[in-house]
mmCIF file of all heavy atoms in Angstrom:
data_model
loop_
_atom_site.group_PDB
_atom_site.id
_atom_site.type_symbol
_atom_site.label_atom_id
_atom_site.label_comp_id
_atom_site.label_asym_id
_atom_site.label_seq_id
_atom_site.Cartn_x
_atom_site.Cartn_y
_atom_site.Cartn_z
ATOM 1 N N HIS A 288 7.351 14.499 7.431
ATOM 2 C CA HIS A 288 6.585 15.156 8.434
ATOM 3 C C HIS A 288 6.112 16.500 8.062
ATOM 4 O O HIS A 288 5.265 17.130 8.788
ATOM 5 C CB HIS A 288 7.337 15.194 9.766
ATOM 6 C CG HIS A 288 8.570 16.131 9.730
ATOM 7 N ND1 HIS A 288 9.808 15.586 9.274
ATOM 8 C CD2 HIS A 288 8.746 17.418 10.016
ATOM 9 C CE1 HIS A 288 10.652 16.565 9.324
ATOM 10 N NE2 HIS A 288 10.088 17.678 9.741
ATOM 11 N N GLU A 289 6.618 17.049 6.923
ATOM 12 C CA GLU A 289 6.167 18.399 6.444
ATOM 13 C C GLU A 289 4.950 18.369 5.538
ATOM 14 O O GLU A 289 4.371 19.327 5.235
ATOM 15 C CB GLU A 289 7.340 19.133 5.835
ATOM 16 C CG GLU A 289 8.458 19.500 6.759
ATOM 17 C CD GLU A 289 9.596 20.294 6.087
ATOM 18 O OE1 GLU A 289 9.377 20.698 4.926
ATOM 19 O OE2 GLU A 289 10.689 20.408 6.678
ATOM 20 N N LEU A 290 4.635 17.143 5.023
ATOM 21 C CA LEU A 290 3.547 17.007 4.027
ATOM 22 C C LEU A 290 2.195 17.476 4.560
ATOM 23 O O LEU A 290 1.403 18.015 3.723
ATOM 24 C CB LEU A 290 3.489 15.593 3.500
ATOM 25 C CG LEU A 290 4.569 15.195 2.502
ATOM 26 C CD1 LEU A 290 4.529 13.678 2.217
ATOM 27 C CD2 LEU A 290 4.392 15.970 1.233
ATOM 28 N N PRO A 291 1.847 17.277 5.824
ATOM 29 C CA PRO A 291 0.523 17.708 6.306
ATOM 30 C C PRO A 291 0.196 19.188 5.970
ATOM 31 O O PRO A 291 -0.874 19.544 5.632
ATOM 32 C CB PRO A 291 0.503 17.457 7.756
ATOM 33 C CG PRO A 291 1.452 16.275 7.922
ATOM 34 C CD PRO A 291 2.536 16.490 6.921
ATOM 35 N N ASP A 292 1.210 20.013 6.054
ATOM 36 C CA ASP A 292 0.951 21.480 5.785
ATOM 37 C C ASP A 292 0.473 21.671 4.344
ATOM 38 O O ASP A 292 -0.299 22.574 4.072
ATOM 39 C CB ASP A 292 2.239 22.302 6.052
ATOM 40 C CG ASP A 292 2.531 22.508 7.551
ATOM 41 O OD1 ASP A 292 1.578 22.526 8.277
ATOM 42 O OD2 ASP A 292 3.692 22.585 7.885
ATOM 43 N N PHE A 293 0.972 20.918 3.400
ATOM 44 C CA PHE A 293 0.596 20.928 2.002
ATOM 45 C C PHE A 293 -0.833 20.403 1.908
ATOM 46 O O PHE A 293 -1.679 20.925 1.128
ATOM 47 C CB PHE A 293 1.515 20.179 1.151
ATOM 48 C CG PHE A 293 2.877 20.832 1.039
ATOM 49 C CD1 PHE A 293 3.903 20.607 1.940
ATOM 50 C CD2 PHE A 293 3.185 21.687 -0.046
ATOM 51 C CE1 PHE A 293 5.141 21.210 1.857
ATOM 52 C CE2 PHE A 293 4.395 22.337 -0.096
ATOM 53 C CZ PHE A 293 5.399 22.087 0.804
ATOM 54 N N TYR A 294 -1.096 19.263 2.568
ATOM 55 C CA TYR A 294 -2.453 18.723 2.487
ATOM 56 C C TYR A 294 -3.492 19.606 3.148
ATOM 57 O O TYR A 294 -4.703 19.772 2.586
ATOM 58 C CB TYR A 294 -2.508 17.371 3.189
ATOM 59 C CG TYR A 294 -1.665 16.280 2.483
ATOM 60 C CD1 TYR A 294 -0.986 15.349 3.224
ATOM 61 C CD2 TYR A 294 -1.670 16.226 1.067
ATOM 62 C CE1 TYR A 294 -0.228 14.378 2.566
ATOM 63 C CE2 TYR A 294 -0.840 15.205 0.410
ATOM 64 C CZ TYR A 294 -0.207 14.249 1.181
ATOM 65 O OH TYR A 294 0.569 13.371 0.572
ATOM 66 N N TYR A 295 -3.178 20.337 4.201
ATOM 67 C CA TYR A 295 -4.117 21.219 4.836
ATOM 68 C C TYR A 295 -4.521 22.371 3.967
ATOM 69 O O TYR A 295 -5.612 22.921 3.979
ATOM 70 C CB TYR A 295 -3.545 21.760 6.154
ATOM 71 C CG TYR A 295 -3.407 20.705 7.205
ATOM 72 C CD1 TYR A 295 -2.300 20.907 8.196
ATOM 73 C CD2 TYR A 295 -4.087 19.562 7.331
ATOM 74 C CE1 TYR A 295 -2.064 19.974 9.201
ATOM 75 C CE2 TYR A 295 -3.847 18.640 8.318
ATOM 76 C CZ TYR A 295 -2.817 18.807 9.260
ATOM 77 O OH TYR A 295 -2.599 17.899 10.215
ATOM 78 N N MET A 296 -3.542 22.741 3.099
ATOM 79 C CA MET A 296 -3.735 23.904 2.226
ATOM 80 C C MET A 296 -4.631 23.548 0.975
ATOM 81 O O MET A 296 -5.295 24.344 0.431
ATOM 82 C CB MET A 296 -2.413 24.381 1.753
ATOM 83 C CG MET A 296 -2.423 25.584 0.770
ATOM 84 S SD MET A 296 -0.728 26.110 0.324
ATOM 85 C CE MET A 296 0.000 24.597 -0.320
ATOM 86 N N ALA A 297 -4.572 22.218 0.631
ATOM 87 C CA ALA A 297 -5.287 21.808 -0.583
ATOM 88 C C ALA A 297 -6.717 21.448 -0.307
ATOM 89 O O ALA A 297 -7.187 21.402 0.873
ATOM 90 C CB ALA A 297 -4.524 20.567 -1.137
ATOM 91 N N ASP A 298 -7.455 21.135 -1.463
ATOM 92 C CA ASP A 298 -8.876 20.777 -1.324
ATOM 93 C C ASP A 298 -9.181 19.361 -1.834
ATOM 94 O O ASP A 298 -10.128 18.762 -1.425
ATOM 95 C CB ASP A 298 -9.655 21.782 -2.213
ATOM 96 C CG ASP A 298 -9.545 23.229 -1.765
ATOM 97 O OD1 ASP A 298 -10.078 23.520 -0.643
ATOM 98 O OD2 ASP A 298 -8.907 23.965 -2.460
ATOM 99 N N ILE A 299 -8.346 18.860 -2.751
ATOM 100 C CA ILE A 299 -8.504 17.537 -3.349
ATOM 101 C C ILE A 299 -7.157 16.931 -3.542
ATOM 102 O O ILE A 299 -6.215 17.524 -4.005
ATOM 103 C CB ILE A 299 -9.198 17.624 -4.678
ATOM 104 C CG1 ILE A 299 -10.564 18.350 -4.600
ATOM 105 C CG2 ILE A 299 -9.461 16.234 -5.285
ATOM 106 C CD1 ILE A 299 -11.162 18.681 -5.973
ATOM 107 N N GLY A 300 -7.010 15.604 -3.156
ATOM 108 C CA GLY A 300 -5.781 14.854 -3.523
ATOM 109 C C GLY A 300 -6.012 13.954 -4.713
ATOM 110 O O GLY A 300 -7.069 13.344 -4.830
ATOM 111 N N VAL A 301 -5.078 13.980 -5.668
ATOM 112 C CA VAL A 301 -5.226 13.242 -6.870
ATOM 113 C C VAL A 301 -3.960 12.422 -7.174
ATOM 114 O O VAL A 301 -2.829 12.953 -7.232
ATOM 115 C CB VAL A 301 -5.441 14.203 -8.080
ATOM 116 C CG1 VAL A 301 -5.754 13.335 -9.374
ATOM 117 C CG2 VAL A 301 -6.631 15.082 -7.851
ATOM 118 N N TRP A 302 -4.155 11.088 -7.403
ATOM 119 C CA TRP A 302 -3.112 10.174 -7.797
ATOM 120 C C TRP A 302 -3.591 9.477 -9.042
ATOM 121 O O TRP A 302 -4.347 8.522 -8.979
ATOM 122 C CB TRP A 302 -2.719 9.285 -6.611
ATOM 123 C CG TRP A 302 -1.965 9.925 -5.620
ATOM 124 C CD1 TRP A 302 -0.562 10.030 -5.558
ATOM 125 C CD2 TRP A 302 -2.432 10.752 -4.602
ATOM 126 N NE1 TRP A 302 -0.188 10.793 -4.472
ATOM 127 C CE2 TRP A 302 -1.288 11.224 -3.820
ATOM 128 C CE3 TRP A 302 -3.629 11.070 -4.068
ATOM 129 C CZ2 TRP A 302 -1.408 12.078 -2.707
ATOM 130 C CZ3 TRP A 302 -3.805 11.877 -2.967
ATOM 131 C CH2 TRP A 302 -2.646 12.422 -2.319
ATOM 132 N N PRO A 303 -3.126 9.876 -10.197
ATOM 133 C CA PRO A 303 -3.685 9.416 -11.502
ATOM 134 C C PRO A 303 -3.489 7.983 -11.863
ATOM 135 O O PRO A 303 -4.274 7.367 -12.597
ATOM 136 C CB PRO A 303 -3.060 10.314 -12.520
ATOM 137 C CG PRO A 303 -2.609 11.524 -11.711
ATOM 138 C CD PRO A 303 -2.149 10.977 -10.442
ATOM 139 N N ARG A 304 -2.432 7.345 -11.238
ATOM 140 C CA ARG A 304 -2.200 5.938 -11.691
ATOM 141 C C ARG A 304 -1.953 4.991 -10.531
ATOM 142 O O ARG A 304 -2.846 4.691 -9.831
ATOM 143 C CB ARG A 304 -1.039 5.850 -12.719
ATOM 144 C CG ARG A 304 -1.386 6.342 -14.107
ATOM 145 C CD ARG A 304 -0.454 5.902 -15.166
ATOM 146 N NE ARG A 304 -0.525 4.451 -15.382
ATOM 147 C CZ ARG A 304 0.389 3.759 -16.105
ATOM 148 N NH1 ARG A 304 1.449 4.416 -16.684
ATOM 149 N NH2 ARG A 304 0.279 2.466 -16.295
ATOM 150 N N GLN A 305 -0.723 4.654 -10.243
ATOM 151 C CA GLN A 305 -0.417 3.583 -9.287
ATOM 152 C C GLN A 305 -0.798 4.015 -7.854
ATOM 153 O O GLN A 305 -0.884 5.225 -7.519
ATOM 154 C CB GLN A 305 1.097 3.265 -9.377
ATOM 155 C CG GLN A 305 1.514 2.667 -10.679
ATOM 156 C CD GLN A 305 3.042 2.652 -10.892
ATOM 157 O OE1 GLN A 305 3.764 3.087 -10.053
ATOM 158 N NE2 GLN A 305 3.452 2.131 -12.033
ATOM 159 N N GLU A 306 -0.968 2.961 -7.036
ATOM 160 C CA GLU A 306 -1.259 3.183 -5.652
ATOM 161 C C GLU A 306 -0.082 3.921 -4.994
ATOM 162 O O GLU A 306 1.065 3.849 -5.404
ATOM 163 C CB GLU A 306 -1.445 1.864 -4.858
ATOM 164 C CG GLU A 306 -2.697 1.122 -5.300
ATOM 165 C CD GLU A 306 -2.487 0.186 -6.474
ATOM 166 O OE1 GLU A 306 -1.587 0.412 -7.332
ATOM 167 O OE2 GLU A 306 -3.291 -0.779 -6.576
ATOM 168 N N SER A 307 -0.443 4.646 -3.905
ATOM 169 C CA SER A 307 0.549 5.324 -3.085
ATOM 170 C C SER A 307 0.003 5.471 -1.714
ATOM 171 O O SER A 307 -1.147 5.662 -1.420
ATOM 172 C CB SER A 307 0.773 6.774 -3.654
ATOM 173 O OG SER A 307 1.535 7.560 -2.813
ATOM 174 N N THR A 308 0.932 5.294 -0.727
ATOM 175 C CA THR A 308 0.495 5.490 0.668
ATOM 176 C C THR A 308 0.092 6.949 0.930
ATOM 177 O O THR A 308 -0.650 7.233 1.871
ATOM 178 C CB THR A 308 1.641 5.097 1.654
ATOM 179 O OG1 THR A 308 2.778 5.829 1.328
ATOM 180 C CG2 THR A 308 1.923 3.617 1.580
ATOM 181 N N SER A 309 0.508 7.881 0.057
ATOM 182 C CA SER A 309 0.118 9.262 0.236
ATOM 183 C C SER A 309 -1.391 9.435 0.063
ATOM 184 O O SER A 309 -1.932 10.348 0.595
ATOM 185 C CB SER A 309 0.829 10.099 -0.862
ATOM 186 O OG SER A 309 2.203 10.089 -0.695
#
Side-chain angles (χ1 to χ4, degrees):
H288 66 272
E289 293 181 13
L290 284 172
D292 285 330
F293 290 86
Y294 293 142
Y295 295 152
M296 178 179 57
D298 300 290
I299 305 168
V301 184
W302 283 268
R304 286 197 67 191
Q305 297 167 358
E306 292 88 335
S307 170
T308 55
S309 296

